[in-house]
Amino acid sequence: MAEEELYDMLVPPGVPRRMIYDVVDKFDVEVVRRQQRMAFANMDGDARELIAFRGKREVVEEVQKYLFEQLKEFVAE
């Protein structure tokens, strides 16, 4: 049987920890570390270790929608 393809969604820097914990509790994803090249301001070309949610495509798409809704509410407060 072929292994199912998994997808990553990078977590934007500054996301509150409680939102990350909430996503892990509500969705079938795991938190992984990823090296990512940065391409803005004075960090052009620097590689940073970021975290990402990893899971099936449909689940990661749901996580993205949910997390962005939560972030909009958080910023509006």
Side-chain angles (χ1 to χ4, degrees), residues 11-43:
V11 178
V15 171
R17 280 181 281 183
R18 70 173 171 82
M19 288 185 194
I20 295 169
Y21 296 143
D22 191 35
V23 166
V24 172
D25 287 341
K26 290 183 182 218
F27 297 93
D28 184 22
V29 292
E30 65 176 313
V31 177
V32 296
R33 294 179 180 182
R34 286 233 344 231
Q35 284 281 45
Q36 186 70 29
R37 285 212 173 284
M38 308 305 273
F40 59 90
N42 62 349
M43 298 188 333

Side-chain angles (χ1 to χ4, degrees), residues 9-10 12 15 62-74:
M9 184 197 120
L10 289 173
V15 171
E62 289 177 37
V63 167
Q64 180 178 358
K65 182 179 175 185
Y66 175 79
L67 185 61
F68 287 167
E69 287 173 1
Q70 294 299 308
L71 287 170
K72 284 180 188 177
E73 288 177 21
F74 179 75

Side-chain angles (χ1 to χ4, degrees), residues 43-76:
M43 298 188 333
D44 193 29
D46 288 355
R48 297 289 170 102
E49 189 171 271
L50 301 176
I51 61 173
F53 297 117
R54 180 171 289 165
K56 296 178 186 176
R57 182 177 181 166
E58 317 77 59
V59 177
V60 171
E61 288 172 350
E62 289 177 37
V63 167
Q64 180 178 358
K65 182 179 175 185
Y66 175 79
L67 185 61
F68 287 167
E69 287 173 1
Q70 294 299 308
L71 287 170
K72 284 180 188 177
E73 288 177 21
F74 179 75
V75 170

